[in-house]
Amino acid sequence: MAGNFWQSSHHQQWILDKQDLVRDRQHDLNILTEEEYQKIFNFFASIIQVLGEQLKLRQQVIATATVYFKRFYARNSLKCIDPLLLSPTCVFLASKVEEFGVISNSRLITTCQTVIKNKFSYAYGQQEFPYRTNHILECEFYLLENLDCCLIVYQPYRPLLLFVQDIGPDEQLLTYAWRIVNDSLRTDVSLLFPPYQIAIGAMHIACVMLGKENLKPWLAELNVDMDKIQEIVRSIINLYEMWKSYDEKKEIQGLLGKMPKPKPAPQR
């Protein structure tokens, strides 16, 4: 593992340029609007989150799985691999990389079947989870290849803990900012900005929500690009704005129907 973020493959290969990201998504954005695309990614981030929780994984593992998912589709169209197959594959790989321990194949498949049936029936109706162990193992090779074996992901959680400690222990600020970091995984910020900047952006939003003023003098002392922090804040606020008017249970079936799909479907 790279000793620090600046020497890591995360910094050197996986902090992407916004224009490159838009260009690489162009195939999907010819079919979906930007908002529809983001809604689909929100939905699969929820699947990864619920799968991780059902498998009793730490949030760090779930966050890494979500970043793998976003990195794959940053370079590939949705039609390359069904996101319903890539989601558990990312969870499977992240659990090994984050040294949580290998999830048994049968437990992973059983959990997928239960989660899709019980938690996401509003999206898939009576359809069962269509994939088996061999599909996930095959998909894992493809995922590794596309990630260029860059598997260490630096998350904003550690810098967030250090920053809050530096300001002065504040449990309420930490709780709010931690949740905002979790929410940030549903935006593109993990592909575009270093984790310490995401942590500062989350603290900034948390302070506004809590009406705290003690961040301003602390921020003034930091040697940080405030334009980038503002971009991160805008991305997360845009997500919250979208959530206000978005009813996933009503809309997601139509969005999944419109989404570019791989062919052929797996044989059971």
Side-chain angles (χ1 to χ4, degrees), residues 9-132:
S9 59
H10 184 154
H11 174 244
Q12 291 169 359
Q13 287 175 250
W14 284 104
I15 298 293
L16 308 178
D17 182 82
K18 182 101 187 243
Q19 288 173 317
D20 292 343
L21 193 58
V22 171
R23 188 197 62 225
D24 290 340
R25 286 177 176 169
Q26 210 48 57
H27 180 279
D28 291 342
L29 293 178
N30 287 336
I31 298 164
L32 301 162
T33 66
E34 175 67 36
E35 187 171 287
E36 288 171 337
Y37 187 86
Q38 293 301 342
K39 285 175 178 176
I40 286 169
F41 272 78
N42 254 279
F43 173 71
F44 286 105
S46 297
I47 288 183
I48 290 171
Q49 185 71 37
V50 174
L51 263 180
E53 288 168 3
Q54 294 292 315
L55 290 162
K56 308 272 191 292
L57 304 180
R58 288 180 292 114
Q59 182 58 34
Q60 174 91 11
V61 184
I62 296 169
T64 295
T66 310
V67 172
Y68 287 168
F69 185 88
K70 292 193 80 75
R71 284 181 180 181
F72 181 87
Y73 289 113
R75 298 267 166 89
N76 296 279
S77 164
L78 286 159
K79 70 174 188 178
C80 289
I81 288 182
D82 182 356
L84 186 58
L85 171 59
L86 193 71
S87 302
T89 306
C90 290
V91 170
F92 185 60
L93 181 59
S95 70
K96 291 189 276 190
V97 172
E98 292 290 348
E99 297 177 355
F100 181 83
V102 181
I103 304 162
S104 80
N105 298 334
S106 57
R107 183 165 166 240
L108 181 63
I109 296 295
T110 306
T111 307
C112 287
Q113 289 168 337
T114 308
V115 162
I116 296 304
K117 195 173 180 181
N118 296 346
K119 307 275 187 183
F120 295 98
S121 58
Y122 64 86
Y124 291 105
Q126 295 306 304
Q127 182 194 327
E128 292 203 358
F129 181 71
Y131 299 104
R132 297 294 173 262

